[in-house]
Amino acid sequence: MSCTLRASVVTGLEFLAADEVKERLSVPEVLEGRGFITWSQDIETVTQALNLKIIDHLQVTMSKFMVEFADENTAALDQLEDLVPQVDWQTGLNVWSHFTDFPHTVSSLPVDSKPELDRGDRDLQTSTVPLPKYRATCHRAGQHHKFSSPEAGHRLGGIIQTRFGWNVNLKDFDLEVVIRITDNEVTFGIALTKVSLYHRNVSEFSRTTLKANICAGLLRLADIQPNEIVVDPMCGSGNVIVEGALTHPHSFCLAGDIQEYCVGSSIANILAVNSKRQEQGLPQLNAGVIQWDATNLPLVTDSVDVIVTDLPYGKRMGNKVDNRKLYPMFLTEAARVTRPQSSRAVILTADRKCMNTVLPQVRKWWSMPRTTIINHGGIRSCIYLLRRTALVW
Ligand SMILES: C[S@@+](CC[C@H](N)C(=O)[O-])C[C@H]1O[C@@H](n2cnc3c(N)ncnc32)[C@H](O)[C@@H]1O
């Protein structure tokens, strides 16, 4: 039996997240929307989705409806309420049961259907079986609704509570029903993750620590092959290299930063991951960290296969005047240490103005097959995929 999963994704990274789902979960088709992807998957293997690296939150979609909403508030809310009995709660709760630590089976039957239940189901509905604490969250987009998101959430939350007898708890909930209303489309889902999947790997953060799911997107774009040498020359707290070493164990990942405290954080993050891996009997990360200046790297010419980095934006880190000096010097030094024709550089920055000025100056070293705009914590940023030209240093 299959179900429909929906994952939220940093806007701009949908195509990379879709690629990852196809490859890791052997799913033939993934639909991409703005800020999310959705696909169909066998329920037996559904928890494999937790191993995905680029997605943010995961939910199961139970049902989707098209509704011509009435022009009046009460009538439109009644239309929403009428959908609740038609939702495929059975599939939703079945999938959710694979992800939750709630220790009891939750019935998809309404409490008022007790007389029609057989004995086993009736036991489930008795007060001796604890019911989950739950909340309903409503996201609404579109202009022609005569109700607000809180109104819809409140009405649907109430009707779901009456139907199943679950207790509302907005903060400490076991189960979250997510209702999305976009123009005429209404979908009902259940959240399968409580915290975003990017909360992983690092324990020491800097002001500019890049989320692990964005790191995973950059690394995927770099198309890293076994035995390649991957370098983050401005590593901050080292999340790119930790994620890289975890997902590409047959490569060597090297990180560096000009700031001593960043080098310290990166080493601490690698050691923390390694100590957990040791407890689990897993091999240590193939990664190292050095304090260096990215415009004058202690690396031999023609020795690096891939550069993946998150440059100072001039917002939280550095300033835009510095960037005008730093970016061309760094891209020239990066050209020296990389291999003509085969090396790639994947570079994230919000200082697009500076990058777009500098790239023509270094075009004899770097061609630019692709740029991708992403929404990075509310900052419009750009990922530049650069390919090293054939010109020998
Ligand atoms: C945007 S932050 C990188 C954040 C990092 N991706 C993380 O997850 O923590 C940019 C980093 O570049 C470093 N940096 C700036 N100029 C540098 C230079 N010339 N050489 C090496 N690192 C430099 C800064 O110290 C800062 O840590």
Side-chain angles (χ1 to χ4, degrees):
M1 222 171 73
S2 69
C3 63
T4 304
L5 294 182
R6 180 193 200 276
S8 56
V9 181
V10 168
T11 307
L13 295 185
E14 299 88 349
F15 71 104
L16 292 168
D19 265 5
E20 190 192 16
V21 169
K22 285 180 194 163
E23 188 190 293
R24 282 180 182 258
L25 306 180
S26 307
V27 167
E29 196 187 4
V30 180
L31 299 179
E32 294 170 35
R34 191 174 156 74
F36 71 92
I37 56 171
T38 172
W39 69 97
S40 173
Q41 196 179 324
D42 201 313
I43 295 180
E44 287 303 307
T45 61
V46 79
T47 52
Q48 287 177 6
L50 292 177
N51 297 327
L52 295 168
K53 302 296 178 197
I54 303 176
I55 66 167
D56 202 340
H57 275 286
L58 188 66
Q59 73 173 59
V60 53
T61 300
M62 296 186 281
S63 297
K64 189 195 276 191
F65 305 97
M66 296 307 289
V67 181
E68 280 301 325
F69 281 111
D71 269 347
E72 195 265 320
N73 173 283
T74 314
L77 289 172
D78 286 347
Q79 286 175 296
L80 280 177
E81 186 176 318
D82 290 345
L83 300 176
V84 172
Q86 302 172 51
V87 172
D88 182 2
W89 294 100
Q90 192 177 7
T91 302
L93 290 167
N94 179 7
V95 173
W96 171 77
S97 71
H98 289 73
F99 289 82
T100 182
D101 51 11
F102 187 70
H104 308 279
T105 306
V106 176
S107 171
S108 58
L109 295 168
V111 274
D112 61 10
S113 69
K114 260 191 207 168
E116 293 137 42
L117 300 178
D118 64 20
R119 211 181 113 48
D121 284 336
R122 206 161 41 233
D123 284 349
L124 278 178
Q125 299 287 336
T126 61
S127 56
T128 55
V129 178
L131 294 168
K133 290 170 277 174
Y134 100 107
R135 79 173 186 190
T137 310
C138 180
H139 303 279
R140 192 185 61 81
Q143 292 175 350
H144 304 294
H145 303 130
K146 295 291 174 192
F147 51 83
S148 64
S149 307
E151 271 180 315
H154 189 255
R155 171 69 88 92
L156 289 167
I159 197 75
I160 292 167
Q161 183 187 28
T162 311
R163 184 174 177 82
F164 298 113
W166 303 337
N167 301 312
V168 175
N169 192 322
L170 297 184
K171 284 205 174 129
D172 181 26
F173 53 89
D174 303 300
L175 192 156
E176 181 178 22
V177 178
V178 183
I179 303 117
R180 284 174 207 281
I181 307 171
T182 309
D183 298 320
N184 293 336
E185 187 183 283
V186 183
T187 58
F188 285 75
I190 296 181
L192 303 175
T193 46
K194 274 193 179 171
V195 284
S196 168
L197 294 173
Y198 73 72
H199 288 285
R200 58 178 188 260
N201 306 344
V202 298
S203 39
E204 295 228 359
F205 297 88
S206 70
R207 272 183 301 159
T208 54
T209 298
L210 197 61
K211 290 177 182 170
N213 53 353
I214 300 184
C215 297
L218 301 183
L219 290 157
R220 187 165 192 89
L221 200 53
D223 191 23
I224 297 164
Q225 302 300 312
N227 301 319
E228 286 196 320
I229 295 177
V230 183
V231 173
D232 179 354
M234 302 192 218
C235 67
S237 48
N239 212 1
V240 168
I241 239 60
V242 171
E243 185 70 25
L246 283 166
T247 49
H248 297 86
H250 302 297
S251 305
F252 180 70
C253 293
L254 185 60
D257 202 284
I258 203 160
Q259 301 283 355
E260 197 177 344
Y261 74 90
C262 291
V263 173
S265 303
S266 299
I267 292 174
N269 282 325
I270 291 176
L271 290 177
V273 172
N274 274 341
S275 102
K276 274 191 211 145
R277 288 174 69 82
Q278 192 166 17
E279 283 165 24
Q280 296 163 351
L282 295 169
Q284 301 287 281
L285 296 185
N286 218 355
V289 188
I290 304 176
Q291 186 173 4
W292 64 30
D293 179 349
T295 65
N296 184 19
L297 292 166
L299 299 173
V300 294
T301 301
D302 200 356
S303 62
V304 172
D305 297 291
V306 178
I307 287 180
V308 179
T309 200
D310 167 27
L311 296 180
Y313 291 7
K315 287 185 195 278
R316 272 173 261 175
M317 176 65 70
N319 64 59
K320 296 211 168 176
V321 180
D322 287 346
N323 287 352
R324 273 184 259 149
K325 284 192 194 153
L326 175 68
Y327 284 20
M329 286 173 77
F330 159 63
L331 284 168
T332 308
E333 179 66 347
R336 181 186 69 78
V337 297
T338 47
R339 302 186 203 281
Q341 197 129 45
S342 65
S343 286
R344 290 86 67 204
V346 175
I347 296 172
L348 173 67
T349 180
D351 194 351
R352 290 180 289 149
K353 195 169 165 203
C354 181
M355 195 67 173
N356 293 340
T357 310
V358 169
L359 280 172
Q361 297 166 21
V362 292
R363 76 170 155 236
K364 67 177 176 177
W365 303 119
W366 296 105
S367 66
M368 188 176 63
R370 173 160 209 162
T371 56
T372 305
I373 298 287
I374 67 164
N375 178 347
H376 177 205
I379 302 173
R380 219 171 122 79
S381 307
C382 187
I383 303 172
Y384 295 82
L385 169 62
L386 306 181
R387 206 164 267 287
R388 182 69 168 78
T389 61
L391 189 63
V392 175
W393 182 260

